[in-house]
Amino acid sequence: MKEKLTAIQAQAEQAIAAAESLADLEEIRLRFLGKKGELTSLLRQMGSLPPEERPVVGKLANEVRDALETALARAHQDLAREEQERKLAREKVDISLPGRKPLRGAVHPLNHVRRRIEDIFLGMGYTIEEGPEIESDYYNFVALNLPRHHPARDMQDTFYIDEETVLRTHTSPVQVRTMEKMCPAPLKMICPGKVYRKDDDATHSPMFFQIEGLVIDKGITLADLKGTLLLFAREMFGPQQQIRLRPSYFPFTEPSAEVDILCTACNGKGCRMCADTGWLEILGAGMVHPRVLEMSGYDSSQVSGFAFGMGIDRVAMLLYGITDIRYLYQNDLRTLKQFPGGLA
Ligand code: FA5
């Protein structure tokens, strides 16, 4: 038994010295010291020894186990250090490599124009309101004096989700929601946002942006509307700008007008862009229809209001001379880089 013990020790020490990895070491530990390991199995046979030999062999067995455990621990330490060194060498970072310059993002031209428009109206004391893009038929149409089967519903080709629900075709429903919320207090608001129509050509996108404005108070007149829009046009397109109002029709305003600015390409002389008229249409506007005021709870004998609505895409196209609205949605970096605040 003593010889067997010494032989096991010699074998184990040889195996430990030859181990190349921590996994090898673990294998060796199990082979000799594990529950079914060689040393453990040998010790199980101690019972068959004559009683006087047992303490001597027992002592030797303990010494062999201690020696192997120490050898395993030392080898473990050495191999772990070697593995760490190999890993560090493999993962070495070359800090002398020049870095890659990250692309700097920029504000999209449509957001840039929206912010400019918002700033102009914030400066005049307007609040900014928002509402849902999935809207009820009531807020998108009925509350704006467009009952079911009203022929003017055809003015906006609508995406219906079901009989009662639409993708809003304009931001006017936000005006109705704000009127209901604020009634009977006076209000002065704009509402920017995405709107949807079954349109698709060079100047009409199925999803586009609008910004609409509404003012309600005692004694609001068409002169207030005209002054406000002239100030807006001059802030947006330059101090020499002029506006012209042409009679028009919207079910929710009476009277209604289409508003033009001097052509931004020829400054009113007449060119291809303005079809030789010298003017470009930028928005629709009018005095809020008394029925619309009443439906949202206002007393139309006490207060009056004006409203206007414009396409942000249209304003961006006029400002930057963009000929096809689809350029604004393709997100081609070659296009986007050409706008103020475009990518560096
Ligand atoms: C309206 O949507 C009215 N709610 C605006 C309004 C508000 C009038 C308050 C009076 C009082 P209109 O359908 O004309 O109006 O649309 C307004 C603007 O949205 C248009 O002048 C145009 O610039 C823009 N627009 C309309 N359809 C599209 C489209 N498919 N793609 C891009 N812009 C569009």
Side-chain angles (χ1 to χ4, degrees):
M1 192 115 175
K2 277 189 201 158
E3 290 84 65
K4 277 190 188 163
L5 275 172
T6 336
I8 286 177
Q9 181 172 8
Q11 259 178 35
E13 281 175 353
Q14 208 176 1
I16 291 169
E20 287 182 352
S21 67
L22 294 175
D24 287 353
L25 273 189
E26 179 61 8
E27 223 170 84
I28 297 165
R29 191 185 67 76
L30 289 173
R31 187 176 139 206
F32 293 99
L33 301 179
K35 266 190 192 158
K36 293 182 184 157
E38 294 184 22
L39 184 66
T40 324
S41 315
L42 193 68
L43 291 180
R44 288 215 182 95
Q45 298 163 22
M46 289 262 286
S48 60
L49 289 177
E52 66 279 9
E53 277 190 34
R54 283 183 205 161
V56 185
V57 176
K59 187 166 171 267
L60 181 62
N62 277 340
E63 282 168 9
V64 170
R65 202 188 47 230
D66 287 351
L68 291 185
E69 278 175 354
T70 313
L72 278 169
R74 194 171 304 128
H76 191 281
Q77 217 175 20
D78 292 348
L79 283 173
R81 197 184 51 239
E82 278 170 29
E83 277 193 10
Q84 175 76 356
E85 276 165 9
R86 272 202 299 276
K87 190 167 170 226
L88 285 178
R90 212 171 41 238
E91 294 177 358
K92 196 168 153 196
V93 178
D94 182 355
I95 55 167
S96 66
L97 271 177
R100 284 193 205 103
K101 199 173 160 200
L103 261 186
R104 263 191 34 221
V107 177
H108 190 279
L110 281 173
N111 279 333
H112 184 71
V113 171
R114 175 179 55 79
R115 287 185 194 171
R116 274 190 61 189
I117 300 173
E118 284 174 2
D119 276 351
I120 294 170
F121 285 100
L122 283 174
M124 291 192 256
Y126 285 64
T127 62
I128 298 182
E129 307 291 340
E130 287 185 349
E133 287 170 34
I134 297 175
E135 187 53 281
S136 68
D137 184 89
Y138 177 80
Y139 282 114
N140 196 79
F141 291 125
V142 178
L144 288 158
N145 200 24
L146 275 154
R148 268 185 208 288
H149 310 301
H150 191 291
R153 284 198 179 204
D154 293 347
M155 288 165 77
Q156 302 171 357
D157 217 345
T158 311
F159 289 111
Y160 276 88
I161 292 175
D162 58 38
E163 282 224 344
E164 294 303 322
T165 326
V166 299
L167 288 181
R168 67 181 180 192
T169 55
H170 49 179
T171 43
S172 306
V174 186
Q175 304 190 339
V176 178
R177 286 173 178 277
T178 313
M179 281 196 274
E180 286 183 356
K181 196 171 71 187
M182 300 292 285
C183 184
L187 64 87
K188 206 169 165 188
M189 56 156 288
I190 51 167
C191 44
K194 279 186 202 140
V195 299
Y196 304 82
R197 290 184 197 179
K198 284 191 206 160
D199 286 339
D200 196 6
D201 60 37
T203 51
H204 295 85
S205 166
M207 189 280 290
F208 61 103
F209 288 83
Q210 280 193 340
I211 200 160
E212 299 200 3
L214 172 69
V215 175
I216 299 179
D217 205 343
K218 285 197 170 118
I220 297 292
T221 69
L222 196 63
D224 296 312
L225 171 64
K226 215 177 158 185
T228 303
L229 294 180
L230 180 61
L231 198 144
F232 164 71
R234 291 189 167 164
E235 292 274 332
M236 197 72 203
F237 297 98
Q240 308 305 324
Q241 255 303 342
Q242 291 176 39
I243 57 166
R244 126 181 136 164
L245 272 61
R246 283 177 292 109
S248 182
Y249 171 75
F250 293 104
F252 29 88
T253 45
E254 182 60 35
S256 304
E258 300 274 8
V259 181
D260 300 338
I261 55 167
L262 278 182
C263 175
T264 45
C266 64
N267 206 22
K269 290 189 194 73
C271 69
R272 256 180 63 198
M273 187 159 148
C274 57
D276 279 326
T277 61
W279 295 94
L280 293 170
E281 180 195 321
I282 59 155
L283 52 85
M287 299 306 291
V288 182
H289 196 294
R291 205 173 296 143
V292 172
L293 288 173
E294 298 285 345
M295 270 191 279
S296 292
Y298 283 90
D299 181 349
S300 63
S301 67
Q302 295 299 311
V303 294
S304 53
F306 69 70
F308 57 88
M310 68 188 99
I312 298 180
D313 308 62
R314 172 71 51 88
V315 175
M317 289 169 82
L318 293 180
L319 263 182
Y320 302 130
I322 300 168
T323 49
D324 192 319
I325 195 168
R326 288 166 288 212
Y327 285 131
L328 289 169
Y329 293 100
Q330 283 160 348
N331 285 333
D332 185 328
L333 288 184
R334 290 169 302 181
T335 312
L336 295 179
K337 276 180 186 173
Q338 298 175 39
F339 296 102
L343 303 166

